[in-house]
Amino acid sequence: MSTQERAVAVARRLLIDGQLVETGRTLASLDPATGEVYGYAPEAGVAEVDAAVAAARRAFDTTDWATDAKFRAHCLNQLYQALRDNVEDLRELTMSEVGATRALTHGNQLESPFEIVRYYAGLIEGYEWSEDLGAVEVRGQQHRRWVEKEAAGVVAAISAYNYPHQLALAKLAPSLAAGCTVVLKGAPDTPLATLAIGEIIANHTDIPAGVVNVLTSSDIEVGKRMTTHPDVDVVTFTGSTPVGRQIMAAASATLKKVFLELGGKSAMVLLDDADYNQAATFAAFSVATHAGQGCALTTRILVPRQDHDKVAQLIAANLGHVRHGDPRDPKTYMGPLISERQREKVDGMVQRAVQAGATLVTGGAKLDPGFFYAPTLLANVDPDSEIAQEEVFGPVLALIPYTDDDDAVRIANNSIYGLSGGVFGADAERAKAVARRIRTGTMSINGGNYFHPDVPFGGYKQSGIGREMGRAGLEEFLELKTLAEVVQ
């Protein structure tokens, strides 16, 4: 099949007010493993945002979507089944557009996020939407008080390119479960993945027109309109911290509820009693997962000063075993970066780190064809340097020596971010004690995996506001209404 024929085969449409629509303008999507055009998506503009928000507002205000939890659970279960029924088409799309490896599509890139939908369908079936606070006497009368939890309203959801299905469903599922209506905008680098979810909703579920609207656009004005529109009640965004700051500022004009999942520069602390072989393997293969394009990856590796060189050799040896290449090949472990723009950014940061005094142990090179970058280890890194402070979003590790536990905690907390982290140590109580001192939203101890639909995910400091997934993720999309009545 030629590139042009394949592009036509994967063309998608926007979802606005229950209709799949074109705009007459197109956005090209590249296959990052080859650099060639893979498909085309309609380019939304401000007019499409206004139409989508109007549909979402109407669906929220004039239907019983927000008040019929049983029907919402039914629709979420339909969506879960439809995603499962279309998994192979979605898998091909995800490998080709996102650059995700086949193995990853069986996990967090595709199939695992389906479980978020099923989780929220089950959660709301037994959820307590009202809390009785009992009665109190005021001026000789009894007053019964209670709190009701109700949908926050119209949600503007903006997601990033790195895990498009995970990010879209982690916003859609809880907001729909809560009774909100949604305008979802996918990232311009991976538009087809997000639009595919919209088409599945339109074709295979009973979700009413206007409840879910799906847009894609590279126009900055689209995002601005979504975050400032007077009929939008909640803004949820996943992406970089600089963009998150802009969104928070834009939404402040109308005091919208803002929920942000932003960047990270997470630290992994190797205590002096750690199994260095286990930790080095974990560090190397973790940062190579999806070519390092993960906000929660541990990219700062803190090691006892006396063992710095030993650990550097172990990590470098493991990085050498990372197999990169065609994401469709089951033997491929690491796929490409999303774009040449991102590869240039990663390479620029690595080269500046070396110029600033870091030691390039392995990697530090572009790999062709496509947008691949060699798994990279920088050693003897200054904890205050750019490479130790700024998010790279590529397969790059910074090895930083420390003197004792207090110094390790200080370095780990020396960041504007606080999304994730890890500790390796033979003494479990000591490892947990160190983990508790690090100001971050999630922590892994000796490789423990916290990521699951029932677990709240989010960060401290400039890694974001609020939590996704779990019961907390549902409650981000709820408002509390306190009521009281006089009782005889």
Side-chain angles (χ1 to χ4, degrees), residues 90 94-95 98-114 161-167 289-290 293:
L90 292 171
T94 307
M95 292 186 292
V98 184
T101 61
R102 185 175 296 276
L104 269 183
T105 66
H106 288 279
N108 287 348
Q109 273 288 2
L110 183 61
E111 293 195 50
S112 293
F114 296 171
Y161 66 78
N162 54 329
Y163 285 80
H165 301 297
Q166 159 72 35
L167 299 176
T289 302
H290 198 35
Q293 297 169 114

Side-chain angles (χ1 to χ4, degrees), residues 275-344:
D275 181 335
Y276 288 157
N277 286 303
Q278 178 194 17
T281 301
F282 185 93
F285 284 90
S286 175
V287 81
T289 302
H290 198 35
Q293 297 169 114
C295 56
L297 296 177
T298 45
T299 55
R300 292 183 294 155
I301 311 300
L302 279 53
V303 299
R305 191 172 301 277
Q306 68 272 16
D307 296 321
H308 173 278
D309 292 349
K310 178 198 302 184
V311 172
Q313 292 174 1
L314 290 172
I315 294 176
N318 278 284
L319 289 176
H321 293 303
V322 173
R323 177 170 176 167
H324 76 278
D326 183 357
R328 302 161 195 81
D329 185 339
K331 296 180 180 179
T332 296
Y333 186 84
M334 189 186 81
L337 293 168
I338 193 63
S339 65
E340 180 60 24
R341 178 185 68 256
Q342 181 62 19
R343 186 165 70 161
E344 285 292 335

Side-chain angles (χ1 to χ4, degrees), residues 65 68-77 117-129 173-179 471 474 478:
W65 175 259
D68 191 344
K70 183 177 181 180
F71 178 61
R72 298 199 302 270
H74 159 76
C75 290
L76 286 170
N77 281 318
V117 180
R118 184 162 66 166
Y119 167 76
Y120 281 108
L123 179 62
I124 61 173
E125 287 178 348
Y127 190 76
E128 294 292 336
W129 299 97
S175 56
L176 295 178
R471 181 176 293 265
L474 173 71
L478 295 173

Side-chain angles (χ1 to χ4, degrees), residues 381-426:
V381 171
D382 180 344
D384 294 320
S385 64
E386 178 194 43
I387 201 69
Q389 291 292 320
E390 298 298 326
E391 188 172 40
V392 179
F393 233 56
V396 179
L397 289 174
L399 195 63
I400 303 172
Y402 71 86
T403 55
D404 56 23
D405 289 8
D406 288 343
D407 190 38
V409 171
R410 180 190 64 79
I411 293 172
N413 285 331
N414 176 30
S415 173
I416 66 170
Y417 301 108
L419 186 56
S420 191
V423 179
F424 276 83

Side-chain angles (χ1 to χ4, degrees), residues 142-339:
Q142 290 293 315
H143 298 257
R144 185 175 76 87
R145 300 87 36 78
W146 72 99
V147 176
E148 293 184 356
K149 303 172 185 179
E150 56 185 42
V154 175
V155 175
I158 303 173
S159 64
Y161 66 78
N162 54 329
Y163 285 80
H165 301 297
Q166 159 72 35
L167 299 176
L169 294 175
K171 297 181 187 305
L172 275 175
S175 56
L176 295 178
C180 295
T181 58
V182 185
V183 179
L184 170 67
K185 187 182 91 67
D189 286 310
T190 54
L192 302 175
T194 307
L195 293 180
I197 295 175
E199 293 195 358
I200 287 172
I201 288 171
N203 293 327
H204 301 288
T205 76
D206 295 328
I207 294 175
V211 168
V212 177
N213 305 270
V214 184
L215 309 177
T216 54
S217 182
S218 61
D219 184 353
I220 192 171
E221 295 302 320
V222 166
K224 287 182 178 179
R225 182 60 173 163
M226 289 178 67
T227 56
T228 59
H229 199 293
D231 283 337
V232 167
D233 301 295
V234 181
V235 176
T236 173
F237 168 76
T238 298
S240 72
T241 293
V243 176
R245 295 188 194 112
Q246 295 172 12
I247 287 174
M248 191 171 183
S252 68
T254 48
L255 293 180
K256 300 186 191 305
K257 191 174 185 179
V258 178
F259 168 33
L260 305 171
E261 290 293 339
L262 305 176
K265 192 67 183 179
S266 302
M268 178 193 294
V269 178
L270 276 58
L271 299 176
D272 56 17
D273 64 346
D275 181 335
Y276 288 157
N277 286 303
Q278 178 194 17
T281 301
F282 185 93
F285 284 90
S286 175
V287 81
T289 302
H290 198 35
Q293 297 169 114
C295 56
L297 296 177
T298 45
T299 55
R300 292 183 294 155
I301 311 300
L302 279 53
V303 299
R305 191 172 301 277
Q306 68 272 16
D307 296 321
H308 173 278
D309 292 349
K310 178 198 302 184
V311 172
Q313 292 174 1
L314 290 172
I315 294 176
N318 278 284
L319 289 176
H321 293 303
V322 173
R323 177 170 176 167
H324 76 278
D326 183 357
R328 302 161 195 81
D329 185 339
K331 296 180 180 179
T332 296
Y333 186 84
M334 189 186 81
L337 293 168
I338 193 63
S339 65

